[in-house]
Amino acid sequence: EIVMTQSPATLSVSPGERATLSCRASQSVGSNLAWYQQKPGQAPRLLMYGASTKATGIPARFSGSESGTEFTLTVSSLQSEDFAVYYCQQYNSWPLTFGGGTKVEIK
Amino acid sequence: EVQLLESGGGLEQPGGSLRLSCAASGFTFSSSSMTWVRQAPGKGLEWVSGISGSGGTTYYIDSVKGRFTISRDNSKNTLYLQMNSLRAEDTAVYYCAKGSPTFQHWGQGTLVTVSS
């Protein structure tokens, strides 16, 4: 099973600032990496797949990148609606696995 | 508009059974792989099971193999998860999601509580 490790667990950021979230895979997943956003009391929402391809309707301030087994989700200028928990997910092999999440909170 | 509506959750004793349903609309159900993902209270997401559009291929996480069965009725646009031999660690909100291996649309979830 591929273990996904996200860091930090909590990120405190002021509105308008940049947020950088990290996700590391225990072994190669290629570019088979997705990001999801989950707000309290809501279902997750797909943000990104293929490590860097935005899902439908996702704002341009979100971007994804990869370097080997390290993946990064960047929000260039945090808006109030971006404060949430973010999860990465690998889909290179079964079982599909998620990271433990990064909570982005208001500083 | 894609809509996914889960039902069937509730309180069940350890060792008991529940069947979750997910009614789908707004897309061609029979062409879409479907997935169940769960989230224990205050915890992260865990993929549980997936099924191909035809129902001919299924996948499970090891912890539910032999206890849970995913199925679908394409004539009713409905996805199911039969959960047997329930354990306390199965307590979670269960989400049905459209797609695999990424999940483009999600239902609002149904809570399963396993407790005596």
Side-chain angles (χ1 to χ4, degrees):
Chain A
E1 172 177 319
I2 297 176
V3 177
M4 307 301 293
T5 303
Q6 290 188 243
S7 60
T10 304
L11 186 62
S12 297
V13 185
S14 299
E17 289 189 340
R18 182 186 194 91
T20 303
L21 290 66
S22 296
C23 173
R24 184 179 74 250
S26 61
Q27 63 190 78
S28 176
V29 299
S31 297
N32 298 311
L33 190 286
W35 289 95
Y36 299 83
Q37 176 194 67
Q38 187 178 33
K39 298 179 182 179
Q42 295 186 17
R45 175 175 73 145
L46 177 66
L47 295 176
M48 205 85 61
Y49 59 93
S52 60
T53 301
K54 281 188 278 288
T56 303
I58 302 305
R61 62 183 181 273
F62 289 90
S63 63
S65 63
E66 62 180 292
S67 177
T69 58
E70 298 277 348
F71 299 86
T72 301
L73 177 70
T74 301
V75 189
S76 59
S77 176
L78 274 164
Q79 305 300 300
S80 57
E81 61 267 29
D82 300 333
F83 292 95
V85 180
Y86 293 81
Y87 295 95
C88 62
Q89 176 231 334
Q90 68 81 21
Y91 54 97
N92 190 66
S93 64
W94 304 95
L96 309 179
T97 48
F98 290 89
T102 290
K103 180 180 181 181
V104 178
E105 64 176 24
I106 299 175
K107 187 174 182 180
Chain B
E1 179 191 3
V2 172
Q3 292 195 340
L4 300 168
L5 183 61
E6 301 96 336
S7 61
L11 174 63
E12 184 55 66
Q13 293 187 341
S17 298
L18 283 173
R19 187 175 84 154
L20 306 184
S21 300
C22 173
S25 62
F27 63 100
T28 305
F29 183 71
S30 59
S31 298
S32 292
S33 294
M34 298 293 293
T35 300
W36 289 99
V37 175
R38 67 185 178 185
Q39 186 168 35
K43 302 297 185 182
L45 301 171
E46 181 177 52
W47 172 83
V48 175
S49 182
I51 188 168
S52 62
S54 67
T57 302
T58 57
Y59 299 92
Y60 299 91
I61 193 172
D62 280 352
S63 60
V64 309
K65 280 180 184 175
R67 300 189 300 122
F68 290 11
T69 302
I70 191 171
S71 63
R72 63 193 298 158
D73 185 335
N74 286 345
S75 69
K76 294 183 178 178
N77 287 358
T78 302
L79 174 72
Y80 302 101
L81 186 67
Q82 178 66 45
M83 309 165 66
N84 298 331
S85 302
L86 282 163
R87 305 168 179 168
E89 54 265 35
D90 296 320
T91 294
V93 173
Y94 284 73
Y95 294 101
C96 116
K98 173 181 178 290
S100 181
T102 60
F103 319 123
Q104 299 95 331
H105 300 277
W106 298 63
Q108 282 305 301
T110 186
L111 176 62
V112 171
T113 303
V114 184
S115 175
S116 55

